[in-house]
């Protein structure tokens, strides 16, 4: 196998670098909010466009599939482009297609816009996931990575609940309009505060098979795929699941999703702190917690208190998945960070799509509550995969 190399990070000493990390986090927040917005709007979106909940779930599935391909192919296509310019262009495109989503006259047009959303999601993650090493000094890489990935959890706290609230207040189209404005604003912020970011090394397609022959990286990708498929199998349909809990009206669901997101932010930084020292231990704990929470939510569905506690635990556990997995990937392939991050983003987004699709089939074919059993079972399998991996295996 050829040795995969990466040039050294671009050294900088600019005082704007902490703000540059926040700007990249704003980009990840924007794409995750856009990606998951249909989860909070599922009921109103399906009724407004006259489709079933399972069909409406395709607005999450299709972007995930496209994002997976984009994460692999876009870094190859723009291999010699400045990463600042790439991120800015992707955020402007995200704003444009969110505006199209807001104006969509039919479900087919909305799906078309969401396909382009997938391109933006995959491209942003492929570039952003490995930028911490280029924006801060070595001793701050772990914290900067956690900040960048906190965009995922903050999207759960602010993005999806705010979009859900706006959708309930003014209609789902206004929610998509709001994220269109957000995308443009973040593009401007990135253009102002990011330093020039020439490619560390042009990414070629042939590097991905080389990376997959690395046992430790391969194990990490399998584990994260199982965890993410399991999570999105259940979480994509968390709103209809929660609406069945006694004494929990539809109006309270947005508040619970906000609490879930707050727990996710805490989980992101807790998971990042642990993963910076031992990614394997972090993923072991996360797998145990996610499996237990989703499986316990089934019998706990008759209790409002138990459901709330378990939902908070769910947010805390899942909040650490992305940053812990990224730490595993960076540790497993230190000589090819951008290519490994692109592969990670591809796997992650395929898993989102598969999870949303699986949840839709289970919800429509068996029952909404059964998505929890499937999701919890996959988390248990992920636990087995991580448990048998040798810590530090090459």
């Amino acid at each position: 196998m050829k040795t995969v190399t990466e040039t050294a990070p671009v050294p900088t000493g600019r005082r704007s670098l902490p703000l540059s990390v926040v700007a990249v986090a704003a980009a990840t927040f924007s794409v995750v909010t856009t990606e998951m917005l249909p989860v909070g709007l599922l009921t109103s979106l399906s009724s407004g466009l006259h489709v079933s909940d399972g069909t409406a779930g395709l607005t999450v599935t299709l972007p995930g599939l496209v994002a997976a391909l984009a994460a692999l192919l876009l870094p190859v296509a723009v291999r010699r482009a400045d990463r600042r310019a790439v991120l800015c262009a992707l955020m402007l495109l995200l704003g444009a297609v969110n505006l199209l989503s807001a104006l969509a006259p039919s479900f087919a047009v909305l799906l078309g816009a969401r396909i382009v959303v997938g391109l933006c999601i995959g491209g942003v993650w492929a570039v952003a996931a490995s930028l911490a090493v280029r924006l801060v000094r070595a001793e701050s890489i772990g914290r900067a990575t956690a900040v960048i990935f906190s965009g995922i959890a903050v999207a759960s706290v602010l993005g999806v609940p705010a979009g859900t609230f706006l959708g309930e207040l003014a209609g789902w189209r206004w929610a998509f309009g709001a994220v269109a404005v957000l995308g443009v604003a973040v593009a401007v912020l990135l253009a102002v505060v990011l330093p020039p970011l020439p490619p560390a090394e042009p990414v070629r397609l042939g590097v991905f098979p080389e990376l997959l022959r690395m046992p430790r990286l391969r194990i990490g990708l399998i584990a994260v795929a199982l965890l993410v498929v399991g999570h999105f199998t259940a979480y994509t349909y968390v709103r209809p699941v929660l609406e069945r809990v006694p004494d929990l009206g539809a109006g309270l669901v947005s508040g619970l999703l906000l609490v879930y997101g707050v727990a996710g932010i805490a989980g992101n930084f807790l998971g990042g702190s642990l993963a910076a020292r031992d990614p394997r231990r972090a993923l072991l704990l996360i797998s145990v917690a996610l499996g237990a929470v989703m499986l316990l939510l089934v019998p706990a569905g008759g209790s409002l208190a138990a459901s709330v506690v378990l939902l908070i635990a769910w947010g805390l556990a899942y909040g650490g998945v992305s940053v812990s997995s990224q730490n595993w990937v960076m540790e497993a392939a230190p000589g090819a960070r951008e290519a490994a991050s692109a592969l990670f983003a591809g796997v992650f987004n395929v898993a989102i799509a598969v999870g949303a699709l699986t949840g839709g089939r289970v919800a429509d074919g068996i029952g909404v509550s059964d998505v929890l059993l499937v999701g919890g079972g996959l988390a248990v399998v992920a636990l087995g995969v991580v448990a048998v991996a040798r810590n530090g295996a090459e």
Side-chain angles (χ1 to χ4, degrees):
M1 182 183 84
K2 287 172 140 180
T3 301
V4 182
T5 61
E6 183 180 80
T7 58
V10 177
T12 65
R14 296 174 54 172
R15 293 184 180 274
S16 63
L17 287 183
L19 184 55
S20 70
V21 172
V22 173
V24 177
T28 63
F29 166 81
S30 300
V31 293
V32 174
T33 297
T34 298
E35 182 171 22
M36 298 313 304
L37 190 58
V39 173
L41 301 172
L42 197 65
T43 302
S44 59
L45 194 155
S46 60
S47 62
L49 294 176
H50 311 293
V51 295
S52 70
D53 285 351
T55 300
L58 291 173
T59 56
V60 178
T61 303
L62 283 184
L65 290 173
V66 175
L69 290 174
L72 297 175
L73 299 180
L74 189 136
V76 177
V78 299
R79 57 186 176 273
R80 300 193 185 280
D82 186 285
R83 272 30 188 169
R84 176 176 62 180
V86 171
L87 283 177
C88 291
L90 287 170
M91 294 308 301
L92 288 173
L93 180 60
L94 186 71
V97 293
N98 275 326
L99 179 60
L100 177 59
S101 298
L103 300 174
S106 67
F107 186 70
V109 173
L110 178 62
L111 276 184
R114 297 290 293 175
I115 287 172
V116 184
V117 164
L119 171 65
C120 300
I121 295 167
V124 168
W125 275 116
V127 175
S130 62
L131 279 186
V133 71
R134 303 185 64 183
L135 297 176
V136 298
R137 296 178 178 177
E139 63 269 19
S140 300
I141 289 174
R143 184 164 56 91
T145 300
V147 169
I148 289 172
F149 276 83
S150 71
I152 299 172
V154 176
S156 297
V157 173
L158 297 177
V160 176
T164 302
F165 177 75
L166 183 57
E168 291 173 350
L169 187 67
W172 61 268
R173 295 181 186 276
W174 284 98
F176 281 106
V179 290
V181 174
L182 175 65
V184 175
V186 172
V188 173
L189 177 64
L190 289 167
V192 171
V193 305
L194 276 185
L197 294 168
E201 177 180 288
V203 178
R204 52 189 176 79
L205 281 176
V207 76
F208 299 120
E210 295 174 13
L211 291 172
L212 287 173
R213 286 195 286 270
M214 298 179 176
R216 184 165 175 77
L217 178 60
R218 188 169 61 245
I219 288 170
L221 293 175
I222 291 171
V224 73
L226 289 166
L227 287 172
V228 175
V229 169
H231 169 77
F232 280 97
T233 293
Y235 183 70
T236 304
Y237 297 90
V238 70
R239 185 180 183 91
V241 166
L242 291 175
E243 288 174 350
R244 297 184 177 192
V245 176
D247 303 319
L248 181 60
L252 294 177
V253 172
S254 297
L256 269 184
L257 290 177
L258 175 62
V259 173
Y260 167 93
V262 171
I265 292 178
N268 174 79
F269 286 100
L270 288 173
S273 177
L274 177 57
R277 300 188 299 270
D278 190 342
R280 179 176 178 269
R281 179 178 297 178
L283 284 177
L284 281 172
L285 292 174
I286 287 169
S287 300
V288 169
L290 282 177
V293 164
M294 284 187 275
L295 293 175
L296 287 173
L297 267 171
V298 177
S303 167
L304 175 59
S307 296
V308 170
V309 170
L310 288 171
L311 188 68
I312 293 171
W314 189 348
L316 191 65
Y318 187 72
V321 169
S322 300
V323 66
S324 298
S325 303
Q326 176 68 10
N327 273 277
W328 182 301
V329 166
M330 300 291 273
E331 181 183 277
R337 290 188 176 98
E338 184 167 285
S341 294
L343 186 59
F344 168 68
V347 170
F348 203 101
N349 280 286
V350 165
I352 291 173
V354 171
L357 181 62
T358 301
R361 301 288 73 77
V362 172
D364 285 350
I366 304 175
V368 171
S369 297
D370 292 289
V371 297
L372 296 169
L373 295 174
V374 176
L378 288 171
V380 172
V381 177
L383 172 63
V385 171
V386 179
V388 299
R390 288 187 297 116
N391 199 14
E394 299 296 336

